[in-house]
Amino acid sequence: MRAPRSGTTERGIGEAGPTPPPWRVRRTCLVWECGRRSGRLPPLPKKSIRPGGEATPTNRKSHCRRSSGRGWASGSTRSRDMPHHHAYNRLGSGGAGGGGTPSPPASPRRSPRIQRRGGKAGGAKGAAMAAPRAIAQRMAWMLLSLFLRRQAIFLFTPLLYVAAMLFYMGTVSLESVPHIISRSAPGSVYRSPKLYERLRNDMDADNSSDGDSWVVNKTNVLYSVLIQRQARIIKAFLATVWKHSFKGGGWRPCVDPSTNVLPDSNGYIYVEANGGLNQQRTSICNAVAVAGYLNATLVIPKFHYHSIWKDPSKFSEIYDEDHFISTLKNEVHVVDKIPEFIMERFGHNMSNAFNFKIKAWSSIQYYKDAVLPKLAEEKLIRISPFANRLSFDAPSAVQRLRCLANFKALRFSNPIATLAENLVSRMKEHSVDNDGKYIAVHLRFEEDMVAFSCCIFDGGDEEKQDMNAARERGWRGKFTKRGRVIRPGAIRMNGKCPLTPLEVGLMLRGMGFNNDTAIYLASGKIYKAEKNMVPLLEMFPLLQTKETLASAEELAPFKNYSSRMAAIDYSVCLHSEVFVTTQGGNFPHFLIGHRRYLYDGHSKTIKPDKRKLALLFDNPTIGWKSLKRQLLIMRAHSDAKGIEMKRPNESIYTYPCPHCMCRSNRTEVSRSSSA
């Protein structure tokens, strides 16, 4: 006979056994419940036997949760006394059956609930309805199980949503969709004409208040007093525009030709200068530096003819060739033509000479390593093109030759210099009330400049057609390449659009220059001048150009030569009290450096912040006082930036300090300031 378990006593049939502990009851109920849900075990019996032997109905949930403790989680471990798939039964067998514990019934193939529902239906009607209901429930159960077991299907939910939205939008008429009004970004639209019309009265009132606020008749004696007082104020204003002229002690030119005797030359260098007037000037100065560094003989450079500038002028027609050669005689060998015995080697054809293709911004060391050996071998080399073929940074000896060529050797030819001197004298006569001081403005609003900028101004069809035609003439196919996107609004916001004559007038009036200021306008043919120049002349009636200062006979020798006309503008702007640049380029860069060289290191130049101007001129709510305050700050910033030292990768022609200039002592500074 089998020995009883420890902790139990033998009992007969019908005898009540000891009460099982709570943890075993919880474990038993958990196993039964898991087996029932998975369909492997039937549900708990609805009757249980008390320890006294009475069969009473039992609530299954309360039976499984009867004991206190840690709950269901405390009985999650399978009992070692239970079979693999059956719960351990602590209840004894009732009646006359055997003493062994009966095995539970086999697991049904279907859910017991479905069986019970089918059994309760009864009759033919219930049998007829049982099959469809069971099939529907089975299909729903299968779909739910599929989604729960294959959760990756939920990744397709966004795709289904997008597909449904596209299908829905395809059925909606576009007429019912509300129109969204897009607003342009600040500073991206040209609205300066509207600003001028709105602020014109306040501007005129502010101009009259510079002298006095008296309202007098022209026949009154007080009128002459008012005019004299205004003249004194204007004169004092132009004399005190630059408050930082002698900041840092001042500078003076210190580049003088040497008296050394040059050694024998290593050969001849022939360069071809391309571009406009000041790009050609860059090529000339760099050629002098390279020739002096390589101990070569420089042939007077040849100027390329360009379809944009259309100027066939030679070197001697723009610059004083004799002065150029004599100034550099102890620095660089310079000749106007190549000797005959050299040209015989190349059949009197320069195209047969070896042509060096040099990369832009090459170092001077490259010339020594690559060009000098070939020069010693061939005795003649050609470099074409030569613009921007020498790095900005070089040894002091090379920089000195650049300074000497730019500020000393290059002097305009006698016809150009004579006319320029006459125009400067006439400008001083027009500004006699200002002690002979005048303002020079470099305005770049020619048709080719407007077309190249890709900015929109008037916005009409006529402007669009004119600009497209100008781009095709000057830069065939460059602006119509496939994939090129032009955004005029972004160009304007970045400060890349040229200032119009109206915007220049607004800026100068806001910076404190009233309508009695004499202005010299350096420019080519203004695009639609009959329309665009009207506002500027209203704000500054004393405005002059080379066409108004000189007669037709005086301008006739230079009329069809853009470089010669640019040289005249260069000379008049060089001697102005204030120079205003409105667009980048070689002309203002060279002029700013030359003015620094002449005016103790200070450029005396207003260089506006065009990004800020775009925002100010596009502000529909700004008032005149607020606009003027911002522009006065901009002018003061230009004054503070007047004296600047050359930094790496910057042009020595714009920043001549400290390579071309030396610091002045205190005595020289005091004399210069008093003068």
Side-chain angles (χ1 to χ4, degrees), residues 137-212:
Q137 290 183 354
R138 290 178 63 184
M139 293 296 294
W141 182 260
M142 290 174 61
L143 290 176
L144 182 61
S145 301
L146 180 64
F147 277 102
L148 291 176
R149 295 178 182 178
R150 301 290 187 269
Q151 295 182 3
I153 297 177
F154 288 103
L155 297 176
F156 294 95
T157 304
L159 297 178
L160 296 175
Y161 175 77
V162 172
M165 291 299 298
L166 292 176
F167 177 77
Y168 170 75
M169 293 301 296
T171 59
V172 177
S173 176
L174 295 178
E175 297 178 356
S176 61
V177 178
H179 179 65
I180 300 176
I181 301 176
S182 60
R183 295 183 179 180
S184 57
S188 62
V189 181
Y190 176 68
R191 294 191 178 98
S192 300
K194 296 180 180 179
L195 181 68
Y196 173 63
E197 292 298 330
R198 185 167 58 85
L199 301 180
R200 183 174 179 181
N201 294 332
D202 296 336
M203 183 194 309
D204 294 338
D206 182 62
N207 182 77
S208 62
S209 65
D210 289 341
D212 268 312

Side-chain angles (χ1 to χ4, degrees), residues 646-662:
K646 181 189 178 303
R647 292 171 293 186
N649 297 323
E650 288 184 338
S651 174
I652 194 174
Y653 309 120
T654 307
Y655 303 96
C657 301
H659 296 286
C660 307
M661 306 184 71
C662 305

Side-chain angles (χ1 to χ4, degrees), residues 15 56 146 230 232 294 323 672:
E15 293 181 349
T56 58
L146 180 64
Q230 286 181 346
R232 288 196 301 270
L294 300 181
H323 177 77
S672 179

Side-chain angles (χ1 to χ4, degrees), residues 262-265 291 295-299 328-329 331-335:
L262 293 175
D264 294 338
S265 173
N295 190 29
T297 300
L298 177 65
V299 183
L328 299 174
K329 63 180 180 179
E331 305 286 346
V332 181
H333 295 284
V334 181
V335 295

Side-chain angles (χ1 to χ4, degrees), residues 186-192 445 453-458 463 487-500 503 610-615 617-618:
S188 62
V189 181
Y190 176 68
R191 294 191 178 98
S192 300
F445 203 70
S453 67
C454 297
C455 298
I456 296 177
F457 294 93
D458 180 68
E463 178 186 315
R487 298 183 177 89
I491 297 173
R492 182 171 296 277
M493 292 171 61
N494 289 330
K496 302 299 183 182
C497 291
L499 294 181
T500 63
E503 291 175 326
K610 293 170 62 177
R611 292 184 180 180
K612 189 174 183 179
L613 285 180
L615 295 174
F617 293 156
D618 194 23

Side-chain angles (χ1 to χ4, degrees), residues 291-602:
Y293 188 77
L294 300 181
N295 190 29
T297 300
L298 177 65
V299 183
I300 292 294
K302 177 185 177 182
F303 294 158
H304 267 172
Y305 178 83
H306 197 276
S307 60
I308 296 293
W309 291 274
K310 298 179 180 179
D311 190 344
S313 299
K314 299 179 181 180
F315 184 94
S316 59
E317 294 172 330
I318 298 178
Y319 298 104
D320 189 341
E321 185 174 311
D322 294 334
H323 177 77
F324 181 77
I325 296 174
S326 62
T327 303
L328 299 174
K329 63 180 180 179
N330 294 324
E331 305 286 346
V332 181
H333 295 284
V334 181
V335 295
D336 58 348
K337 63 179 181 178
I338 303 173
E340 189 69 20
F341 71 93
I342 297 291
M343 291 301 299
E344 290 179 355
R345 293 179 51 195
F346 301 98
H348 296 276
N349 188 357
M350 281 300 303
S351 60
N352 295 330
F354 183 83
N355 185 22
F356 256 101
K357 296 295 184 180
I358 299 177
K359 295 182 179 180
W361 316 116
S362 296
S363 65
I364 194 66
Q365 188 64 33
Y366 172 80
Y367 286 89
K368 183 178 181 181
D369 297 338
V371 178
L372 183 57
K374 195 69 176 178
L375 176 65
E377 177 185 352
E378 297 287 337
K379 297 301 180 181
L380 173 63
I381 60 171
R382 180 167 62 101
I383 305 177
S384 176
F386 192 67
N388 303 324
R389 291 303 187 271
L390 182 60
S391 174
F392 285 139
D393 299 325
S396 299
V398 177
Q399 302 290 50
R400 178 183 171 278
L401 289 175
R402 279 172 156 175
C403 298
L404 186 63
N406 186 41
F407 300 120
K408 293 285 188 178
L410 283 180
R411 189 174 69 184
F412 290 121
S413 61
N414 189 52
I416 295 176
T418 301
L419 180 58
E421 290 175 2
N422 293 335
L423 297 186
V424 170
S425 299
R426 294 168 191 175
M427 278 302 304
K428 291 181 178 180
E429 293 174 1
H430 283 81
S431 57
V432 64
D433 293 335
N434 299 329
D435 199 17
K437 301 180 184 298
Y438 62 93
I439 298 175
V441 179
H442 181 226
L443 181 60
R444 292 302 311 272
F445 203 70
E446 303 90 348
E447 186 180 51
D448 60 335
M449 189 66 215
V450 177
F452 186 81
S453 67
C454 297
C455 298
I456 296 177
F457 294 93
D458 180 68
D461 294 336
E462 182 180 358
E463 178 186 315
K464 185 177 180 180
Q465 294 175 1
D466 293 343
M467 296 301 102
N468 289 336
R471 294 186 193 108
E472 194 63 23
R473 287 195 305 268
W475 305 273
R476 188 177 303 274
K478 180 178 181 179
F479 296 93
T480 57
K481 290 181 180 179
R482 180 178 298 179
R484 176 159 187 172
V485 180
I486 299 175
R487 298 183 177 89
I491 297 173
R492 182 171 296 277
M493 292 171 61
N494 289 330
K496 302 299 183 182
C497 291
L499 294 181
T500 63
L502 185 148
E503 291 175 326
V504 172
L506 280 174
M507 179 186 70
L508 293 178
R509 290 295 295 270
M511 289 182 175
F513 302 99
N514 62 10
N515 58 3
D516 292 332
T517 305
I519 293 180
Y520 178 81
L521 189 67
S523 175
K525 184 179 180 181
I526 300 297
Y527 176 64
K528 291 185 177 180
E530 63 281 356
K531 171 187 174 183
N532 294 322
M533 287 297 295
V534 172
L536 182 58
L537 289 172
E538 291 176 352
M539 288 182 275
F540 293 98
L542 298 182
L543 185 140
Q544 303 289 336
T545 63
K546 52 183 173 292
E547 287 80 9
T548 60
L549 289 174
S551 63
E553 293 77 11
E554 290 176 316
L555 287 177
F558 318 98
K559 194 67 176 177
N560 297 323
Y561 301 93
S562 61
S563 295
R564 302 184 201 182
M565 297 287 276
I568 296 173
D569 285 336
Y570 186 97
S571 300
V572 180
C573 292
L574 184 63
H575 296 90
S576 64
E577 177 64 20
V578 179
F579 173 64
V580 181
T581 172
T582 62
Q583 188 74 6
N586 289 315
F587 185 94
H589 289 168
F590 265 91
L591 197 54
I592 289 172
H594 207 155
R595 290 172 65 85
R596 284 193 171 110
Y597 186 81
L598 293 181
Y599 302 127
D600 302 319
H602 197 286

